[in-house]
Amino acid sequence: MIKQLKAPAVMLAATVALTGCDLLDVSNPNNLVEASIRNEAAASAVVNGSLALVSSSISQSWQPYLVASDELYWIGSRDAWGSLDQGFVDDPLNEFIDGPFPALGQARWMSDEAVEILAGHVAESPSTAMTYDLARANLYSGIQYMLIGETQEDFAFSDKTEDGPPVGPANMFQVLDGAISRLDAAVSGANAVGDADLAMRAMAIRARAHQSRAIWDAINPSPSGNGLVNAAAAAADANAVIAAAGGATADWTYNLTYSSGTVSNSMASWVNDRKENQIDLSIVTVDAANDINGIALMDPIDNVADPAVIRILNQWKGGNYLSKGGVYEPMTVSSTRLMHLILAENALAGGNNAGFTEHINHIRSMDGSTLFSGQISNMDMLKHTRRVNVMLQGLRLGDMYRFGIQASDWSNLAVTSSGPGEMLPISIIEIRANCHLNGLVFFSH
């Protein structure tokens, strides 16, 4: 439940004897009421505010999800991170599951609010600028719904102080469907105003959302089969994005950015600055101070430090993976590499080995690596190529579940081992506040 925030009253406890002056009779130019954001003049700012909240939410929500996977591991002093590292992802009392939950709900509410506000403006004044901002609003709302659908086991859609009932774990696919419908509107709006870059970003997210929707089916109610998914709608978007980006070997990324003037990257702060968590030892090597001093994950063909890992870690550390890194590092939410991975997996799931090899090699060409020609099994090649090219992008735990991969730190008692497919729960702050949950704490398994 999202609580409506009110500015604190300020009491002036001083007596000032100034003739003709009443210091309490003032008009505060910084006093912003909710009605103000519905003015047409504030339309772009509303959408920008939505983007900031969504970006902050992603940086907070991905970290507990990834610590539970084999991409990040706990090196600090906060035991709740250690619990996640061992695979106990279903504990609503865990402070690092609970901490990001308000940001998750606030970003969801504000991104939907931005869509509603901009839709009203477009209905009254269908200008190019308003249509463009509505498309952006739908994109950011789509990203937030995708985030919830990919990382959460359950969610409640409340409206400020009005409690919303939980969706229920069995119905969380509907959240991903909601992401896709918002992204449909984003693509249509971008095309309507002729903004090819915005349309490409929206299609790149929609391709990811379509594949995540298929992955949801593959791991719910529990993982089954070989984990491969074939999402035709994702493939259509993937092909369109690759073409728009410049062709088969175009190496394009869609990054969310952070700065001192907007929001910081919470995950970068915990990993790069506070050093509570670190990149997993299956990926990097570290020194006695737990600082990265090398790459552990080798390319399976060239037997060298995987260049895709180096590329992502260079971005994560501000240019050089051996550096400390900062708190404003960008977060990649989609890319042409992901598009090729979607197409490669679709081909493999459909028995098209030549198509699989083609798209894997487009990715390998981006890094100047030796082309794949059957040196290892297709399935192993897909697992490796996906792992190194979507690292730190909020997808790994779902991949581990569907491919039957266990992290070395997982406890046999943890739900990741005993009930694979489980994602992050509704946390205690929502359970206590939402009347539909009755303040009850329970575990799914």
Side-chain angles (χ1 to χ4, degrees), residues 72-90:
L72 296 176
Y73 80 109
W74 173 54
I75 60 172
S77 60
R78 305 287 284 272
D79 290 345
W81 284 125
S83 179
L84 284 163
D85 200 18
Q86 293 170 37
F88 294 95
V89 298
D90 59 337

Side-chain angles (χ1 to χ4, degrees), residues 52-66:
L53 289 175
V54 169
S55 299
S56 179
S57 178
I58 282 181
S59 73
Q60 294 182 58
S61 298
W62 276 359
Q63 187 172 200
Y65 172 96
L66 292 177

Side-chain angles (χ1 to χ4, degrees), residues 218-236:
I219 64 176
N220 285 283
S222 61
S224 59
N226 60 11
L228 291 175
V229 301
N230 190 336

Side-chain angles (χ1 to χ4, degrees), residues 49 265 342:
N265 181 334
I342 289 169

